[in-house]
Amino acid sequence: MHLLVVPTCCLSSTSPHPQLPKLPRPLPRSLGHSASPRFGVPFRRAVAAPAMRRRGRRRAAAPPPTAAAAGEASSDSPGPPGGEDKRAGTDLKTLARRFWKVAAPYWWSEDKAQARLQLAGVFALTLATTGISVGFNFLGRDFYNALADKDQEQFTKQLLYYLGGFAVGVPFFVLRDYARETLSLRWRSWMTSYYMKRYFKNRTFYKIQSQSLIDNPDQRINDDLSAFTGTALAFSLTLLNAVVDLVSFSNILYGIYPPLFVVLIVYSLGGTAISVFLGKSLVNLNFMQEKKEADFRYGLVRVRENAESIAFYGGEENELQLLLDRFRRAYQNLSELLIASRNLEFFTNGYRYLIQILPAAVVAPMFFAGKIEFGVINQSVSAFNHILSDFSLIVFQFQSISAFSAVIDRLGEFDDLLGENGSSLSPRRDSIDGINISFKSGSPSVLSSNGSQMQSEPGIVLEICDLTLLTPRGGNILITDFNMELKDKDHLLVMGPSGCGKTSLLRALAGLWTSGTGDIIYHARDSRQLQTATLGSNEPSNIKPEGEELLQSSKQRRDNGIFFVPQRPYMVLGTLRQQLLYPTWTANIHQSPTNDAQSKAPLSFLSEVSTSDGVGAKPEMPSTDELIRVLEVVRLGYILPRFNGMDSVHDWASVLSLGEQQRLAFARLLLAKPTLVLLDESTSALDDTNEVHLYSQIEAAGITYISVGHRKTLHRFHNKVLYISKSDSATGSLRNWELKPTDQKSIEESSPFAS
């Protein structure tokens, strides 16, 4: 009777990581389903739970396409990531390569000294807890020997030893877990900063969204990085502990009864092979589950951000059907995932339960023969379970490993996309990315590519030479062989039928589209100095060093006096003051001493926000009085009392009408005082009176502007008009544009390109 009951209840935990043994025998458990908060948390983030997980509340959803991306040439613009229902599996070699590529940079970063020191501390504490577990193994043997011998004095003595061991051992276990979680958080913080800088550098975020290169980059930064760091660190410590356990407990078990050691090896290897066979589909199912749940969340956020438009259309039923369809795909995939998990659990649960009696059954004949004491049975069972947990790591952790593999796969894809060569950002390998955007200084001369001195002609703001513009994905011709010279105070209006490429021309001028051929040259004027940047190895192939400084970032464009105002202005998350200062002085706001979150940040890499190597001078940040004055100038002074001053926080895209947002964008423009501004139907939501007022304000400020629009009333604010027609030529040999002065009579009717 004692043989069957006592050893079972006295077994130590079979968790593959060291922990204090408990008198009641717990079931063996995997890291992913551990009741311990120490290891359960990071693995639960990576493992598909038995019910649909509500990950959305932690995820910042991918934003809808920007106004600039949703404008002209819509036939070439992709939709949001929708998603194939199946994907090919990733081989083990690729997974290993991606794991190393994602994990390695931190340990050789600027934070490597602190990271390695903390990792060494975690390893030391892990070794200490393993030693404590070995000590408890021998304490357990003596404790149950005293119990079997009915020796009350020895039993009391061993009980006190046990209690003393708890008092000494518990702090080591707590400190180990705290050190591991702290290091995991630091690692995640660095990786979040590292990936976000790469995501925003060279407008990669725009290319990913406009070309639909991957799904849900926001989820990969937020959820997958969190799961990766916690799981990778916990799993690394588990492997370390497994090695130490093998060394520590193998001698104990082999010394008790060698055949038991052989049984253990055969049992664990067989269990591993069967687990791999039954669970091989879990990696792809977990990958697709992450994607489908993120797609469902993305659809919900689009409803929230476009609620008014949907309400006006009365599109509730359509949106409901679309969302239910996305949820249905997530449901179907999760059903397959649960079936695969169920089949695996049939085996793993039986595997776990059998080890409760297997070691006792093997050594029981020796006990009956009087060759070993009763406490040795407990010691052999404890050692057997420790070693079996090490050998059966794949069996116990297969679901966790498969889910972690999906996280590695998703982050690996993202990292490959952000790779230093930038080649993966080109959707078509045969596409022509030959549009060069450069800057000329207003200084007497600059060095050209052939070494000669180039004189910048006075009064010139912009030159466009032999520009042929193509759509990035389809290669459709939008504009053919366009040449233009824009001088100071030459205000250009771009007109034409919808879809002809008006906004696409602005994208090319802003450096967002480079598909095509030709040169775009900006001239830095007056007191502005040419702002340069170091050319990195990851720049697009069309940007090569010449005597003129070439465009490499949006910041560099702003620093050289080029400003862009879209039809639907972007409203940042923050105060009214930050709305006005965006984007010219945003970094100054976040780095000011009054920003508590910034000043208290303990990690230096979380405060570095620059994604450009260029260092540009900018005007002095406006005072509060100047901000109030510019609001009055654009006729928005009434919003100050309405929203309780400059420093109130609201969802500005919702509380301001589109007309108010457009006037706020003009306030940003007047504060930045650029040389040239590109206006993409920036007054479309304004009445004629406000439109006249705003154009007169930017003209009075001495700003040269290029406008895209459809209204004939815009002619009065411009002295040149560019008409663009849709290109019907497959070869692009026919010119589809016409440039004329606005003072020509009846230019709208006389132009063969007028719509």
Side-chain angles (χ1 to χ4, degrees):
M1 181 66 71
H2 283 200
L3 178 63
L4 297 176
V5 177
V6 178
T8 304
C9 71
C10 73
L11 297 180
S12 62
S13 169
T14 61
S15 173
H17 52 277
Q19 64 180 33
L20 293 175
K22 301 177 182 178
L23 294 180
R25 168 71 170 91
L27 291 178
R29 58 179 180 259
S30 70
L31 292 177
H33 299 86
S34 171
S36 168
R38 298 189 296 267
F39 287 93
V41 171
F43 273 84
R44 278 198 302 269
R45 291 175 183 161
V47 180
M52 179 75 75
R53 291 169 298 171
R54 300 177 62 186
R55 299 182 59 126
R57 59 177 176 267
R58 301 197 313 270
R59 181 180 306 123
T66 61
E72 300 291 336
S74 58
S75 62
D76 194 61
S77 300
E84 67 281 359
D85 288 339
K86 303 292 181 184
R87 66 183 291 272
T90 304
D91 60 273
L92 189 60
K93 183 178 179 180
T94 301
L95 276 177
R97 177 187 63 83
R98 285 179 168 176
F99 173 81
W100 178 254
K101 190 176 181 182
V102 172
Y106 175 59
W107 306 101
W108 278 267
S109 69
E110 70 281 2
D111 198 44
K112 63 182 179 182
Q114 183 67 27
R116 293 174 182 179
L117 183 63
Q118 286 189 243
L119 183 62
V122 173
F123 280 173
L125 288 169
T126 300
L127 294 175
T129 54
T130 301
I132 293 171
S133 296
V134 173
F136 273 105
N137 182 270
F138 285 95
L139 282 176
R141 179 196 64 184
D142 296 337
F143 180 84
Y144 284 102
N145 277 337
L147 185 64
D149 295 339
K150 300 181 180 181
D151 187 340
Q152 185 172 357
E153 180 180 356
Q154 185 66 16
F155 176 82
T156 304
K157 182 179 179 181
Q158 293 301 322
L159 182 59
L160 292 176
Y161 285 160
Y162 244 121
L163 295 176
F166 286 140
V168 173
V170 165
F172 282 92
F173 284 85
V174 173
L175 290 175
R176 177 202 63 187
D177 296 332
Y178 173 75
R180 192 200 71 237
E181 294 290 354
T182 301
L183 178 57
S184 174
L185 177 59
R186 191 180 188 96
W187 188 8
R188 179 195 175 187
S189 300
W190 185 89
M191 289 189 69
T192 300
S193 174
Y194 173 65
Y195 273 87
M196 288 183 67
K197 288 174 185 176
R198 298 168 69 199
Y199 182 56
F200 283 101
K201 190 172 184 178
N202 300 325
R203 297 181 291 270
T204 301
F205 69 96
Y206 172 79
K207 298 170 187 176
I208 289 175
Q209 178 70 7
S210 61
Q211 299 172 18
S212 289
L213 300 180
I214 58 170
D215 64 277
N216 304 293
D218 50 291
Q219 181 199 32
R220 300 177 194 236
I221 292 174
N222 184 49
D223 289 353
D224 291 342
L225 281 180
S226 175
F228 178 85
T229 54
T231 307
L233 193 55
F235 199 72
S236 299
L237 295 178
T238 299
L239 291 176
L240 171 67
N241 184 70
V243 173
V244 176
D245 264 2
L246 283 174
V247 175
S248 303
F249 288 97
S250 294
N251 290 332
I252 297 175
L253 189 63
Y254 193 84
I256 295 173
Y257 191 41
L260 183 59
F261 190 80
V262 176
V263 170
L264 183 149
I265 298 296
V266 174
Y267 188 73
S268 60
L269 292 179
T272 299
I274 296 174
S275 295
V276 171
F277 175 77
L278 293 176
K280 58 186 178 182
S281 64
L282 286 175
V283 175
N284 285 339
L285 289 172
N286 275 291
F287 184 99
M288 295 305 300
Q289 191 62 28
E290 294 282 341
K291 180 183 184 304
K292 293 177 184 298
E293 290 189 22
D295 288 345
F296 176 59
R297 171 67 175 172
Y298 177 79
L300 289 171
V301 173
R302 280 185 57 83
V303 172
R304 185 188 70 191
E305 295 188 346
N306 298 278
E308 184 174 358
S309 298
I310 295 171
F312 272 126
Y313 276 112
E316 294 87 350
E317 291 185 6
N318 184 62
E319 292 299 320
L320 176 61
Q321 185 59 44
L322 289 173
L323 288 172
L324 288 177
D325 181 65
R326 289 198 170 195
F327 182 82
R328 176 183 55 80
R329 297 185 182 192
Y331 169 82
Q332 290 173 343
N333 188 82
L334 186 55
S335 297
E336 295 180 30
L337 181 60
L338 291 177
I339 292 172
S341 299
R342 177 203 64 192
N343 296 338
L344 182 62
E345 285 294 322
F346 275 133
F347 170 73
T348 56
N349 281 336
Y351 184 90
R352 292 182 182 123
Y353 277 105
L354 185 58
I355 63 175
Q356 296 183 61
I357 62 171
L358 181 62
V362 173
V363 299
M366 296 181 64
F367 174 73
F368 291 132
K371 295 181 180 180
I372 59 173
E373 296 176 311
F374 182 73
V376 176
I377 296 179
N378 170 66
Q379 187 180 26
S380 64
V381 170
S382 176
F384 184 92
N385 280 278
H386 269 278
I387 300 174
L388 185 65
S389 295
D390 303 330
F391 276 118
S392 305
L393 190 62
I394 294 179
V395 178
F396 290 152
Q397 308 301 330
F398 196 86
Q399 291 194 53
S400 301
I401 292 172
S402 63
F404 184 45
S405 299
V407 170
I408 295 172
D409 218 2
R410 290 176 60 80
L411 283 178
E413 278 187 347
F414 192 35
D415 192 88
D416 290 343
L417 192 65
L418 303 178
E420 291 185 355
N421 56 12
S423 60
S424 54
L425 292 176
S426 296
R428 288 162 40 95
R429 293 193 176 274
D430 59 342
S431 65
I432 302 175
D433 288 335
I435 299 178
N436 297 310
I437 304 178
S438 58
F439 296 90
K440 279 186 181 179
S441 172
S443 58
S445 62
V446 293
L447 190 66
S448 70
S449 57
N450 60 8
S452 62
Q453 298 291 320
M454 298 181 62
Q455 182 73 28
S456 180
E457 295 185 34
I460 297 179
V461 176
L462 171 66
E463 288 181 87
I464 301 177
C465 304
D466 302 322
L467 176 66
T468 296
L469 180 61
L470 311 176
T471 58
R473 293 171 62 86
N476 300 320
I477 299 174
L478 297 176
I479 299 175
T480 304
D481 200 22
F482 177 49
N483 291 274
M484 185 192 73
E485 185 179 274
L486 192 69
K487 294 186 177 181
D488 194 20
K489 306 298 175 60
D490 269 354
H491 307 308
L492 175 68
L493 174 61
V494 182
M495 303 188 77
S498 296
C500 68
K502 302 186 298 296
T503 299
S504 299
L505 175 61
L506 293 191
R507 292 183 189 135
L509 293 176
L512 301 182
W513 280 16
T514 56
S515 297
T517 59
D519 296 286
I520 299 172
I521 305 171
Y522 291 101
H523 293 253
R525 309 306 305 167
D526 302 327
S527 60
R528 289 186 182 271
Q529 298 295 321
L530 183 65
Q531 305 303 334
T532 62
T534 303
L535 188 67
S537 61
N538 58 341
E539 298 300 335
S541 59
N542 64 301
I543 297 179
K544 49 190 182 297
E546 295 181 356
E548 302 164 347
E549 181 62 29
L550 300 186
L551 177 65
Q552 299 170 36
S553 68
S554 300
K555 180 179 183 298
Q556 185 193 8
R557 185 183 69 230
R558 292 199 313 271
D559 291 343
N560 284 284
I562 315 300
F563 205 88
F564 178 73
V565 180
Q567 181 178 10
R568 179 175 289 276
Y570 174 62
M571 297 287 106
V572 301
L573 301 174
T575 64
L576 180 58
R577 184 188 306 274
Q578 288 171 304
Q579 303 302 321
L580 291 168
L581 297 178
Y582 180 85
T584 309
W585 297 278
T586 303
N588 301 58
I589 289 293
H590 291 301
Q591 293 175 357
S592 65
T594 57
N595 189 315
D596 292 337
Q598 180 72 24
S599 61
K600 295 178 181 178
L603 304 177
S604 60
F605 46 79
L606 292 182
S607 61
E608 298 172 2
V609 296
S610 176
T611 58
S612 172
D613 295 326
V615 179
K618 57 182 123 182
E620 183 180 353
M621 189 166 67
S623 64
T624 300
D625 289 340
E626 290 174 312
L627 297 180
I628 295 174
R629 192 177 306 118
V630 79
L631 284 176
E632 297 288 350
V633 168
V634 298
R635 299 177 177 175
L636 279 179
Y638 63 87
I639 70 174
L640 284 171
R642 175 178 160 192
F643 296 112
N644 300 318
M646 284 285 180
D647 298 313
S648 58
V649 178
H650 295 276
D651 182 3
W652 300 102
S654 299
V655 299
L656 297 179
S657 68
L658 181 56
E660 290 172 329
Q661 293 177 42
Q662 290 185 342
R663 280 181 279 167
L664 187 62
F666 273 84
R668 293 172 177 170
L669 167 61
L670 293 172
L671 287 168
K673 301 182 178 68
T675 300
L676 174 67
V677 61
L678 312 176
L679 303 168
D680 184 14
E681 299 190 54
S682 302
T683 58
S684 59
L686 298 176
D687 57 86
D688 291 344
T689 303
N690 275 307
E691 183 179 66
V692 171
H693 175 70
L694 292 178
Y695 269 102
S696 65
Q697 291 298 319
I698 60 174
E699 186 171 9
I703 300 172
T704 303
Y705 49 85
I706 299 176
S707 302
V708 166
H710 294 279
R711 296 180 182 177
K712 293 181 180 180
T713 55
L714 292 172
H715 280 267
R716 74 182 80 168
F717 314 121
H718 303 79
N719 48 26
K720 287 185 177 181
V721 179
L722 171 65
Y723 286 98
I724 302 175
S725 69
K726 290 188 176 181
S727 178
D728 297 324
S729 172
T731 62
S733 58
L734 299 178
R735 195 177 78 171
N736 65 326
W737 57 272
E738 184 176 31
L739 182 65
K740 291 189 176 183
T742 56
D743 57 1
Q744 182 174 333
K745 293 183 180 180
S746 305
I747 187 170
E748 299 88 355
E749 291 77 17
S750 64
S751 172
F753 301 96
S755 55

